[in-house]
Amino acid sequence: LPSAFLDFLKENGLDPSIYIPRYIRLKPGLAEIEAELKCRLNKVDWLPGFFAIQSHIQIASTNAYRSGKIYGMDAASGAAVMALNISPGDHILDLCAAPGAKLCMISDILGNSGSLTGVDIAKHRLAACRTMLQKYALGDRCRLFVADGTTFSLLPLRFMEWNSKRLWRDRKHARKAKPELIFYGKDSGVVGLHRSELGYDKVLVDAECTHDGSFKHIQKFEYWGNTLQRRVLDAKRTNNLMHLQLLLSNGFRLLKVGGSLVYSTCSLTISQNEDVVEQFLSKNSSAVLQEIDAADNWHCKSGRIPNTLRFDPKASQTSGLFIAKLKKV
């Protein structure tokens, strides 16, 4: 790890020498593939469907990976999805969908019900999401939009609620909408509606942040000169809450009354996590922090705010991740 980042970890009380295994997720119902990977798959006892392998194991060249039986995903990221408490028939919005592992996991859990809308501002990154959905045969109930998550406004279709005249009107409106539709699963519903009384059942805002909690990400900066200092460790960037606040606010706006939103980042900083949540709660009386029921057995610790959680290499043997769950009342 770069020396500047080692100093950053020391300031935040984290030991960079802690070993973090690599995690993979198996599609439900598939047999173990230890023989092909030539290593033992260690079941993650606190997170269904996840297995830990040694960090040097390469999976991209295996038949299991190419055929869509496994994909790499940090266990902490899987916890963020589990915090949504997805139910059959849910209409779910993933407001920062790329690179797509969480999107695939959500689609996998939904199965043959509900719908999933993925949004990302970068077209090439969202195209990678599309490739993943097709590779793992998980795209039938998913639609993907290239759009700014801070202003995205298309709502899900509530199946069987609209007559044919309204469906025609919504298709006409969708052609004029700014978001660019780049993937449309055959069972994902009509493109969108503008109705204040409708909204998504669940929203995931895994916000674009400085990524300082991901050691794998930080290692890429070793050869990038001052890019690490500029993109990760610069106080002006880590303390800039505006983009994160806008993402959280828009995600909450698109949530139906009674629905739940999970806000997460892979940052270790308080400014991008607890500070964002506290500021949002101070301005939104209809938002309340929820206890994450699924977290009873998770290997994590409490955040500075009650009912928020933090994963880090020491407590969890995962990358760093912050999770807060909000309900609209």
Side-chain angles (χ1 to χ4, degrees), residues 131-147:
T131 300
M132 285 188 70
L133 289 171
Q134 293 170 327
K135 176 179 179 179
Y136 297 109
L138 293 170
D140 283 355
R141 291 186 172 271
C142 185
R143 57 186 187 165
L144 300 178
F145 290 95
V146 180

Side-chain angles (χ1 to χ4, degrees), residues 132-322:
M132 285 188 70
L133 289 171
Q134 293 170 327
K135 176 179 179 179
Y136 297 109
L138 293 170
D140 283 355
R141 291 186 172 271
C142 185
R143 57 186 187 165
L144 300 178
F145 290 95
V146 180
D148 185 343
T150 65
T151 57
F152 182 77
S153 61
L154 296 181
L155 295 173
L157 173 73
R158 297 288 167 179
F159 300 107
M160 307 303 291
E161 290 185 12
W162 307 99
N163 59 34
S164 58
K165 183 178 179 180
R166 281 174 173 165
L167 294 180
W168 175 87
R169 179 201 64 195
D170 296 325
R171 290 191 181 98
K172 182 179 179 181
H173 174 79
R175 287 194 293 270
K176 298 178 181 178
K178 291 182 180 179
E180 179 185 356
L181 179 68
I182 71 166
F183 182 78
Y184 190 74
K186 65 183 181 68
D187 297 319
S188 61
V190 171
V191 169
L193 302 169
H194 285 275
R195 293 277 292 186
S196 60
E197 68 269 23
L198 293 180
Y200 292 91
D201 299 289
K202 309 284 169 61
V203 175
L204 175 63
V205 181
D206 184 45
E208 180 72 16
C209 64
T210 54
H211 301 288
D212 55 81
S214 172
F215 286 13
K216 293 289 185 182
H217 187 86
I218 292 299
Q219 285 173 332
K220 299 175 185 178
F221 290 108
E222 185 174 357
Y223 306 103
W224 292 5
N226 65 354
T227 308
L228 174 67
Q229 189 67 43
R230 177 172 55 84
R231 293 183 57 181
V232 178
L233 304 180
D234 184 3
K236 291 182 180 179
R237 177 168 166 80
T238 58
N239 293 331
N240 183 5
L241 311 182
M242 181 60 68
H243 178 69
L244 300 178
Q245 286 287 351
L246 290 173
L247 281 171
L248 179 53
S249 296
N250 195 43
F252 194 77
R253 181 180 67 84
L254 295 168
L255 186 68
K256 76 172 188 178
V257 174
S260 297
L261 178 150
V262 167
Y263 172 79
S264 62
T265 84
C266 59
S267 173
L268 300 169
T269 66
I270 291 175
S271 62
Q272 295 176 83
N273 297 316
E274 286 93 343
D275 285 355
V276 170
V277 172
E278 284 184 326
Q279 186 175 334
F280 176 79
L281 289 171
S282 70
K283 297 178 180 179
N284 292 272
S285 59
S286 62
V288 294
L289 271 173
Q290 281 187 289
E291 183 177 357
I292 301 174
D293 297 332
D296 288 346
N297 299 316
W298 288 358
H299 297 177
C300 59
K301 58 187 180 182
S302 297
R304 193 187 66 184
I305 308 171
N307 292 336
T308 63
L309 302 175
R310 279 183 172 269
F311 291 79
D312 63 46
K314 185 174 182 179
S316 320
Q317 283 197 303
T318 66
S319 294
L321 196 82
F322 171 85

